[in-house]
Amino acid sequence: MSTSSINPINNNPVSNDAINSNPLNLVADIGGTNIRLGVSDSSNIIIDIETYQCRDFTCLLDVIQYYLTEKKIAQGNINACLAIACPVDTDIISMTNLPWQFSQTELKKALKLNKLVLINDYTAIAMAIPMLTDEQKVKIGGGTALSDKAIAVCGPGTGLGVANLIPIVNKWYCLGGEGGHVDYAPIDDKEIQVLRYIQGFKKRVSYEQLLSGYGLEQIYQALLIIEQGDSSPQQPTKLTAQEISTQALIETCTLSQQALDLFCKVLGSFAGNLALTMNTQGGVYIAGGIVPCFIDYLRNSDFRLRFEAKGRMSPLNKEIATYVITEKQPGLLGASVYLNQVMA
């Protein structure tokens, strides 16, 4: 468990008095491993941020009640927005990577909430983007982000999350989806070889099969097999995504560098596709737990080259900015933004 009391917008400590508790806004970012909870106000200042291990609790109700008890927050007169890594379109929610199942109606009743809103985790990340300052993002390459224009976000992590954001009458609306599962399109001979390797055990190859933690591992395995060729192929060395990226960054393994280079190229192509699909003149943002660990490497890679390499549409993409999100709690910030927009 970790404790913090910060303002995610400027990372300055704030007092509990900064939060208007009448009513109180409860926000959560719920993944397969961790759940983060906090309290926010109408200015999206978030305090009392706590991170819990999901495995330590039997259900979502238990962890929220534990948090409210820890913070001495009385149930009742609370509005809540929960960002969760699974579909949220039905009353019964079954988490993808957790044995948690609950009813939205029953959860609202048990916690005595005024209002309960559930959103997808990438909807939350997308909603946070218009709030980000220059200290919460890093620009990669050229282009200019225009205000009040469509925005796209993708995030290699456990999987590949994707969302789009569009402005309508002074409000932001998120268009969610499963864009990470679109068909992978290789560009050069090496990528074609990697595709054929993955096709050896996958009936269908999506971008998520390369742009994720296990995707980086599969790229490494493919390059190892390709390097060995047909002469006495050895059993592939199993490395984790963290080991591969670490070796690439400290330049102790040429194959790891090749794997991370290819990862960055494919990410550039994919992000460029998102830019074309929505004409995202507001920018394309990279989120997730992987890319923020090697921003300088990404900047020096062919990421931006691939982003712009779109044939007749290259001039369009050259004008579109790309960023890596460095804010530590974009899910909580986006949940707060979403809740305040709903309440308004």
Side-chain angles (χ1 to χ4, degrees), residues 121-142:
D121 58 337
Y122 260 81
T123 295
I125 291 173
M127 292 296 292
I129 290 173
M131 300 292 296
L132 298 179
T133 66
D134 289 340
E135 288 70 39
Q136 294 166 295
K137 60 187 179 183
V138 175
K139 189 179 181 185
I140 307 296

Side-chain angles (χ1 to χ4, degrees), residues 126-201:
M127 292 296 292
I129 290 173
M131 300 292 296
L132 298 179
T133 66
D134 289 340
E135 288 70 39
Q136 294 166 295
K137 60 187 179 183
V138 175
K139 189 179 181 185
I140 307 296
T144 302
L146 303 181
S147 60
D148 299 325
K149 297 294 183 180
I151 292 169
V153 59
C154 64
T158 303
L160 178 59
V162 174
N164 295 284
L165 205 62
I166 57 173
I168 301 177
V169 193
N170 298 319
K171 290 185 179 181
W172 288 97
Y173 291 88
C174 181
L175 304 177
E178 296 295 339
H181 295 281
V182 299
D183 295 327
Y184 168 57
I187 301 298
D188 58 27
D189 291 340
K190 186 72 71 176
E191 291 178 23
I192 290 173
Q193 289 177 295
V194 171
L195 171 63
R196 287 173 177 164
Y197 167 79
I198 300 175
Q199 285 176 327
F201 52 90

Side-chain angles (χ1 to χ4, degrees), residues 22 43 82 104 194 233 243 274 305:
N22 190 23
S43 297
L82 312 181
Q104 295 192 50
V194 171
E243 290 170 334
L274 293 180
L305 182 66

Side-chain angles (χ1 to χ4, degrees), residues 6 8-9 11 132 135-137 325-330 333:
I6 63 171
I9 296 176
N11 290 333
L132 298 179
E135 288 70 39
Q136 294 166 295
K137 60 187 179 183
I325 296 173
T326 56
E327 162 59 38
K328 300 299 184 183
Q329 304 290 353
L333 179 57

